[in-house]
Amino acid sequence: MSDMSDKWVALLRGVNVGGANKVPMAELRALAEGLGWTDVKSYIASGNLVFEANAGDLVGQLRSAMIAQMGVYVAVRVLPAQEILDAENACPWDVKGNLVHAFFCLEAPVLDETLRDTLITEDEELVIQGKRVWLFAPSGVARSKLMAKMERVLGVQATARNLNTVRKLAQMVR
């Protein structure tokens, strides 16, 4: 088994959502392998890759290849495998995984507290942990005004994954 220091998780923002930024996962895996990355696995069609590679500008490599080979330009966050394990362990709530979302921010969030306060409902909770932000929306994210405006509230680009996906990605890197 490989050393965890060369295992990574790539989270692509906004692929295969509403017919935009179509990225077939088989093509994405092949593209990553073409970069010399190994043991490449994808999880569901929302842009999650687990792979092994030497450290470097992994974000730049993946984004450049996606633009050149697929014509798709999206934000990408690449995390060391340990960070996805840490995220799984740091979730503030022990609830059904579809009620909690982790937002992996591309930069440190700059919270707009006024906007948050106008959007958040009594049953929702928001917890910031560095460049990771958790939203607990027990009434469902489809109904959450906060979820819909999260990037404006955070002041930075982010890509969200529900806790079920975080758990599955953590399982994949173990």
Side-chain angles (χ1 to χ4, degrees), residues 81-94:
Q82 187 61 51
E83 196 168 326
I84 209 78
L85 297 171
D86 292 347
E88 178 187 36
N89 293 327
C91 180
W93 307 280
D94 184 18

Side-chain angles (χ1 to χ4, degrees), residues 123-137:
D123 67 345
E124 292 178 330
E125 294 180 52
L126 191 69
V127 174
I128 298 175
Q129 300 170 337
K131 290 169 76 173
R132 181 176 55 242
V133 178
W134 293 97
L135 172 63
F136 174 48

